[in-house]
Amino acid sequence: MVMLAAYHASGLEVTYDVVRTTSQALGWRAAERHEFGSMADMMLHTATLPRDNEGFVVRFTNGLRLKLKGSEYRRIHALISRCTPLAMWEAMAAGDDMAAIRRDLPEEFWSDFDNIVLLLTKEYAAMERKVAELAASVAHLSDKELGLSLNSLPADVGPYVFGLRKAGAIVGKSRDALMRSIRPTGNVLPGYQPSYAMGRVIDEATS
């Protein structure tokens, strides 16, 4: 916990020295003070901050505060805010490098990433199995006979049987369509519970 400021019972903001004394009594850290020659210098320095340093809070003489966040922190935070069922589905559907996405995330969000990707992978695999089982059950039919019986096949997997029969796998447009069938609705993925760390990000984004 970092103390940025404190206020007297009268409503007046106390001095930085009082903030330091109060934070020590509470066992908190007081925000460090930094001096810059100009706003431009501060912004240049902010842009070079590491990922674990959020940025600076600028306090004006009238008490107004302005937060400046580092470029790397904003990049990581943007990645975290997109570590959602729908965002991960979009990445998987596009064939993105999921391992690279995971590497960019802070370690405390790896469990969210892993759980979401695992659940989506299981959903897709389950649909693939249903298509394969259906294809096996109609393997004795000719292409013409299969075409005539398509309307009688299960609507959720029937359309993919021809593609599997011809290519030996669900690829191309068939894969795209099958991926769309498992697209999370309302960014909700059954079985996924956000971690405490992700919950804090969600609360911050919605507050």
Side-chain angles (χ1 to χ4, degrees):
M1 186 71 70
V2 179
M3 179 175 283
L4 296 176
Y7 292 82
H8 190 270
S10 64
L12 296 177
E13 186 173 351
V14 301
T15 64
Y16 180 68
D17 288 339
V18 175
V19 169
R20 289 179 60 87
T21 302
T22 304
S23 65
Q24 289 173 359
L26 293 171
W28 297 355
R29 289 191 299 118
E32 296 180 12
R33 272 187 163 180
H34 299 268
E35 292 186 6
F36 296 93
S38 66
M39 180 67 79
D41 289 343
M42 180 174 58
M43 293 181 69
L44 285 173
H45 182 74
T46 303
T48 65
L49 291 173
R51 63 194 294 173
D52 58 351
N53 193 325
E54 181 175 351
F56 299 108
V57 175
V58 183
R59 183 188 182 281
F60 295 91
T61 54
N62 64 355
L64 177 68
R65 284 176 167 80
L66 174 67
K67 181 178 285 188
L68 296 179
K69 296 186 177 182
S71 300
E72 184 65 6
Y73 177 87
R74 287 187 285 108
R75 184 185 74 83
I76 296 298
H77 197 273
L79 284 171
I80 294 169
S81 65
R82 284 186 53 78
C83 186
T84 64
L86 186 55
M88 292 300 96
W89 173 86
E90 289 174 347
M92 292 173 68
D96 292 344
D97 186 340
M98 303 306 291
I101 294 175
R102 188 181 191 274
R103 282 195 300 271
D104 274 340
L105 289 171
E107 188 173 348
E108 60 264 37
F109 298 98
W110 286 355
S111 63
D112 290 278
F113 177 93
D114 292 342
N115 289 336
I116 292 171
V117 172
L118 177 61
L119 289 168
L120 288 172
T121 300
K122 284 184 174 180
E123 278 197 42
Y124 185 82
M127 290 297 292
E128 273 191 319
R129 284 195 300 272
K130 289 180 67 175
V131 175
E133 290 168 359
L134 179 59
S137 71
V138 296
H140 62 285
L141 298 179
S142 66
D143 286 351
K144 180 179 179 180
E145 291 171 330
L146 177 59
L148 292 173
S149 65
L150 280 180
N151 289 337
S152 65
L153 300 180
D156 59 337
V157 291
Y160 310 106
V161 173
F162 257 122
L164 179 59
R165 172 179 284 196
K166 296 299 182 183
I170 301 175
V171 295
K173 292 182 178 180
S174 291
R175 177 192 176 276
D176 295 341
L178 194 60
M179 280 297 299
R180 286 195 295 272
S181 74
I182 66 165
R183 184 181 187 274
T185 301
N187 219 1
V188 175
L189 181 62
Y192 168 61
Q193 182 66 37
S195 66
Y196 174 75
M198 182 58 71
R200 287 191 292 112
V201 173
I202 294 172
D203 289 343
E204 181 180 325
T206 56
S207 61

